[in-house]
Amino acid sequence: DGGITQSPKYLFRKEGQNVTLSCEQNLNHDAMYWYRQDPGQGLRLIYYSQIVNDFQKGDIAEGYSVSREKKESFPLTVTSAQKNPTAFYLCASSQGGRGYNEQFFGPGTRLTVL
Amino acid sequence: RKEVEQDPGPFNVPEGATVAFNCTYSNSASQSFFWYRQDCRKEPKLLMSVYSSGNEDGRFTAQLNRASQYISLLIRDSKLSDSATYLCVVGSGGSNYKLTFGKGTLLTVNP
């Protein structure tokens, strides 16, 4: 079955630690995205990638980093520079191109900083 | 004006009721429009795309008014399973794949 997987589902981090969230898709989509969702807030775009080996900052990229070495993978690292990292992190992908930018989401990772 | 603004809600309706969600967007160059549904502590899932001519999928009807920069979603004969948060989503289109999400409106359908 085609889809998007994220791991882990829950992640606990001590302050000052970097953590990496995994996102894999087998939909053969060109574009991938990372969002953050806080209670009562809409989804906010962290980073996105339209093609392998290329990515752009979204609206709230500070304290995060990404890589796109393979089409199917787009890991997100939450660094110690991120001041308030506790949130629900969602990865998405889309086929890209005009009229094809519906995005499909993975199940998410809940990150809690202790 | 916020990029995408939705009714704040929440909405509480009885089973069988008709409920309408409204959304406005600020970027007149927006090209694509969607409604997503998000269940509690789950990921958003695409409910339907919204076209200028309006579109219907069973009990769900979506409308787009480009002149007023307004999108709506109508749910008829609501079911308990319709309880969720409904997200209005607007795409900038072209070569920019960015989608902008509203904060969502929570719907609870009561027996």
Side-chain angles (χ1 to χ4, degrees), chain A residues 49-69:
Chain A
S49 169
Q50 297 179 353
I51 197 168
V52 174
N53 292 322
D54 186 55
F55 49 82
Q56 288 81 39
K57 293 181 179 180
D59 301 319
I60 54 164
E62 185 176 352
Y64 300 97
S65 65
V66 293
S67 62
R68 186 85 186 278
E69 297 176 2

Side-chain angles (χ1 to χ4, degrees), chain B residues 6-55:
Chain B
Q6 297 186 239
D7 292 329
F11 291 177
N12 284 278
V13 303
E15 269 189 291
T18 296
V19 59
F21 300 95
N22 301 310
C23 173
T24 57
Y25 60 95
S26 61
N27 183 358
S28 60
S30 297
Q31 297 287 328
S32 54
F33 310 89
F34 310 95
W35 284 101
Y36 278 72
R37 168 197 171 123
Q38 186 173 23
D39 292 296
C40 186
R41 300 181 69 80
K42 299 287 189 180
E43 74 274 22
K45 293 186 178 179
L46 180 66
L47 180 64
M48 56 198 307
S49 301
V50 189
Y51 305 114
S52 296
S53 55
N55 47 305

Side-chain angles (χ1 to χ4, degrees), chain A residues 30 94-102, chain B residues 29-32 34 92-97:
Chain A
D30 291 317
S94 67
Q95 187 166 346
R98 290 177 186 269
Y100 287 95
N101 54 353
E102 297 98 333
Chain B
S30 297
Q31 297 287 328
S32 54
F34 310 95
S92 51
S95 59
N96 182 342
Y97 305 136

